[in-house]
Amino acid sequence: MSRSTSLNAARRETELAALEARPDIDVLVVGGGVTGAGVALDAASRGLRTVLVERDDLAFGTSRWSSKLVHGGLRYLAKGQIGIAYESARERDVLMRVTAPHLVRPLPMVVPVYRGDAPMRALIVRAGMGAGDLLRVLAGTPSSVLRGPRVLSARQTLRLLPGVRREGLLAGILSFDGQLIDDARLVIGIARTAAGEGASIITRCSAQSVSADGAVLRDEIDGRIIPVRPRAVVNATGVHADALDPRIRLRPSRGTHLVLEGAALGHPRAALTVPLPGSVDRFVFAMPQPDGRVFAGLTDEPLDGPTPRVPEVPEEDVDFLLERFNGALATALTKDDVIGSFAGLRPLLDGDGDSANLSREHSVTVSPQGTVTVVGGKLTTYRAMAEETVDAVVAEHRLAAAPCRTREIPLVGAASHEELDSLDAPRHLVARYGMEALDVVAEADDPASLTPVVRGITPAELRFGVRHEGALDVSDLLERRTRIGLVPADGERAAAAAERALSEVGR
């Protein structure tokens, strides 16, 4: 029998007490990003007693700093990595049609073509788009979900990208990919679905040590120590994986994005896609968001020095991105146009060459003490990574488990587009919460609770985040449940409303 999918402070205390009373579990997952949440869902849905611990909050690390794209693998095709390209297209199909159709939408992406551009590069880009569309077909994604690529006239290009430079514009190459409404919401949805399958999802809880004899957990709120005896441990800590398994060799790279007002780019209706000079497989993207803003990224720079918990955005990344986009815009962007920025660290496996050319494939390894580490990969393929990881756990530790079923398990809020379209709820809530939009509306105890605080976010959503999505403090609400904090000025304006939600619903 399934359990409630609601995560909150009261459930957290209940889960911790149960763990203290019954420390013998099947699987301990360390790390609450998209990979760890995916592993917890896979393991719990196979009937394994599963506990996920995260020292901070769900989606605290790399998983909330992505481009919000569900990639079809075009870049990997250009590198001849056909396997990972197909896997990306297949997993994109699963997300868009089964597990999270409420969170993923088609995104038109346009590469402007100018007089003087190398003709061969334009042909290669167009050919690449065609190959990517073949992957779509092979993955079983119908054209009603993602349309095929085509060449646009200059006029059509300007209709989608009003802010691009008109002089010398010949055409545009249009393609489609998947865009997440919010990457952090995807992680929270996976974790809550795992909770519904029986997993214990415990944030603000760290793994102090892991050995063949067991693990020692620490409640980061009250400091209490909780010994547990898992039959298997999964290390899903991303760029910090080497802390639990020193054999892992990573070369994290930094991906930076800028947050801009849509007006700065003429309110684009498609993602502006600009090839980097001298490359046919690397681009920068300016992607319109549902709230009218634009996320412009991204860089691919090696990380120097220790791995930070929250990466900072260096000035050289800002300069690089502005320069790349200004080459295609009619009105140049300046630093005054940048209203926010964020950087994430890709947990790339060490190898030869610069970080941009390192493989995005994932790795599942088993340490001598039996810890299973999953690292590398990317957000789009989290489900396949989780499946392979739990397969390894079951084989290594000889656990009795059912087959994987995550390809058929919709995340909380998921439904067909027909059902979502017919739901009698505000459209902006349906886009973020799917079928749970009605539950968000139910959090409104007066009309003011449905009046936006900042950028369309309402007090009802903040209350829902506390009651059902595991938010324990203001930063959880502003940085990961709503993303208001991506623009610091917005976060300051919404802080009082977040405090009220926490006090009204209860910590």
Side-chain angles (χ1 to χ4, degrees):
M1 180 179 296
S2 63
R3 301 165 62 191
S4 168
T5 62
S6 295
L7 300 176
N8 48 49
R11 179 167 180 166
R12 178 182 181 277
E13 285 302 313
T14 300
E15 303 280 24
L16 284 170
L19 200 54
E20 288 178 308
R22 298 174 52 217
D24 292 298
I25 60 176
D26 290 324
V27 181
L28 173 67
V29 183
V30 184
V34 70
T35 305
V39 170
L41 171 56
D42 191 299
S45 65
R46 297 194 197 198
L48 299 172
R49 187 186 176 203
T50 304
V51 175
L52 179 149
V53 295
E54 161 58 49
R55 68 177 175 182
D56 293 298
D57 183 28
L58 295 170
F60 185 86
T62 298
S63 295
R64 64 169 160 149
W65 302 131
S66 77
S67 295
K68 285 69 177 168
L69 287 175
V70 177
H71 283 295
L74 180 60
R75 182 178 178 185
Y76 313 111
L77 272 183
K79 293 179 177 295
Q81 299 172 346
I82 297 174
I84 188 173
Y86 173 71
E87 180 182 65
S88 297
R90 184 194 65 202
E91 293 303 315
R92 179 183 63 185
D93 181 71
V94 173
L95 277 162
M96 296 190 75
R97 295 207 293 150
V98 180
T99 58
H102 60 310
L103 293 178
V104 189
R105 64 177 188 178
L107 175 68
M109 310 181 74
V110 178
V111 180
V113 178
Y114 288 93
R115 186 179 297 110
D117 287 348
M120 184 56 67
R121 185 173 70 174
L123 289 173
I124 292 174
V125 170
R126 177 62 184 88
M129 302 296 184
D133 192 53
L134 177 59
L135 282 179
R136 172 191 66 79
V137 173
L138 293 174
T141 307
S143 57
S144 59
V145 175
L146 279 179
R147 284 182 283 172
R150 61 190 177 96
V151 176
L152 303 176
S153 67
R155 178 177 296 182
Q156 290 171 321
T157 300
L158 289 169
R159 191 175 300 135
L160 293 177
L161 300 174
V164 297
R165 178 167 47 88
R166 295 170 178 250
E167 181 183 359
L169 180 64
L170 296 177
I173 302 173
L174 170 68
S175 63
F176 290 84
D177 218 332
Q179 182 182 32
L180 274 169
I181 295 295
D182 186 334
D183 46 7
R185 294 207 62 75
L186 175 68
V187 178
I188 293 159
I190 298 168
R192 290 183 55 210
T193 306
E197 292 288 336
S200 296
I201 307 296
I202 306 174
T203 59
R204 305 298 196 281
C205 184
S206 61
Q208 296 290 290
S209 64
V210 174
S211 68
D213 299 323
V216 176
L217 309 180
R218 181 180 187 273
D219 184 341
E220 295 296 328
I221 293 179
D222 64 16
R224 71 182 187 255
I225 298 298
I226 305 171
V228 294
R229 293 186 293 273
R231 297 174 68 188
V233 176
V234 174
N235 174 12
T237 55
V239 292
H240 306 286
D242 53 357
L244 280 182
D245 186 350
R247 301 175 311 124
I248 300 297
R249 292 289 179 265
L250 299 176
R251 281 180 57 191
S253 77
R254 183 182 64 249
T256 293
H257 292 81
L258 310 180
V259 184
L260 309 165
E261 294 288 5
L265 288 87
H267 297 292
R269 297 166 56 195
L272 168 60
T273 307
V274 182
L276 295 185
S279 175
V280 295
D281 66 337
R282 287 194 62 199
F283 304 84
V284 291
F285 308 94
M287 295 158 290
Q289 303 300 307
D291 66 355
R293 287 176 170 157
V294 171
F295 293 162
L298 78 163
T299 61
D300 199 333
E301 298 296 328
L303 177 70
D304 296 321
T307 304
R309 292 171 76 176
V310 179
E312 295 184 354
V313 174
E315 286 298 314
E316 54 265 32
D317 281 13
V318 177
D319 293 337
F320 169 84
L321 290 171
L322 292 178
E323 181 182 357
R324 294 282 79 79
F325 286 112
N326 283 341
L329 294 173
T331 302
L333 299 169
T334 71
K335 289 184 178 180
D336 290 338
D337 293 308
V338 180
I339 58 175
S341 60
F342 57 91
L345 299 178
R346 305 175 184 88
L348 302 181
L349 297 168
D350 199 2
D352 296 328
D354 59 30
S355 61
N357 290 315
L358 290 180
S359 173
R360 268 53 176 174
E361 291 185 299
H362 65 271
S363 168
V364 177
T365 59
V366 182
S367 73
Q369 67 193 44
T371 297
V372 177
T373 294
V374 53
V375 73
K378 56 204 186 74
L379 182 145
T380 305
T381 59
Y382 83 88
R383 193 210 62 80
M385 294 166 60
E387 179 180 355
E388 183 178 333
T389 301
V390 178
D391 283 346
V393 165
V394 169
E396 176 68 21
H397 297 279
R398 300 181 181 179
L399 304 183
C404 176
R405 347 186 253 113
T406 53
R407 199 182 293 240
E408 289 82 37
I409 299 178
L411 302 185
V412 288
S416 69
H417 289 290
E418 291 76 17
E419 292 175 284
L420 294 172
D421 290 343
S422 65
L423 194 65
D424 185 16
R427 291 297 94 189
H428 72 283
L429 293 181
V430 176
R432 291 179 57 79
Y433 297 90
M435 298 301 287
E436 290 194 311
L438 294 175
D439 298 316
V440 176
V441 173
E443 289 291 335
D445 49 10
D446 60 70
S449 294
L450 291 174
T451 301
V453 177
V454 173
R455 305 299 296 186
I457 301 298
T458 64
E461 291 170 78
L462 299 175
R463 292 168 62 91
F464 186 84
V466 178
R467 195 186 307 276
H468 298 290
E469 297 184 329
L472 299 178
D473 63 19
V474 170
S475 68
D476 291 353
L477 287 172
L478 302 185
E479 301 289 341
R480 290 166 289 280
R481 302 309 180 278
T482 66
R483 316 313 298 277
I484 290 174
L486 285 174
V487 176
D490 289 348
E492 293 174 8
R493 290 169 55 199
E499 286 282 9
R500 281 195 299 274
L502 287 159
S503 63
E504 291 167 356
V505 178
R507 294 181 183 274

